[in-house]
Amino acid sequence: MLSPALVLSPARGMPASGRMTPLEAAWVDRRLTECLQDTLRVAESRGGRLGL
């Protein structure tokens, strides 16, 4: 599992600078989606344990 910080570090500023290729943009998109899915899974798990 990649950490969001690891994914965001090289991605910050790249779209605005025009230096991101379509392949790089697709990679960042996939990794950020995975990070958000992991975050949601953890939040749901913790909420379930708290009875929320």
Side-chain angles (χ1 to χ4, degrees):
M1 173 168 54
L2 292 173
S3 77
L6 181 65
V7 174
L8 285 174
S9 178
R12 288 190 181 168
M14 288 180 83
S17 72
R19 297 181 321 194
M20 186 178 283
T21 67
L23 184 60
E24 290 169 327
W27 182 88
V28 168
D29 179 59
R30 282 192 302 272
R31 300 297 83 82
L32 288 175
T33 299
E34 290 170 359
C35 291
L36 288 171
Q37 289 170 334
D38 292 343
T39 300
L40 180 59
R41 186 177 64 248
V42 168
E44 289 173 340
S45 172
R46 289 183 181 174
R49 283 187 268 154
L50 294 173
L52 301 176

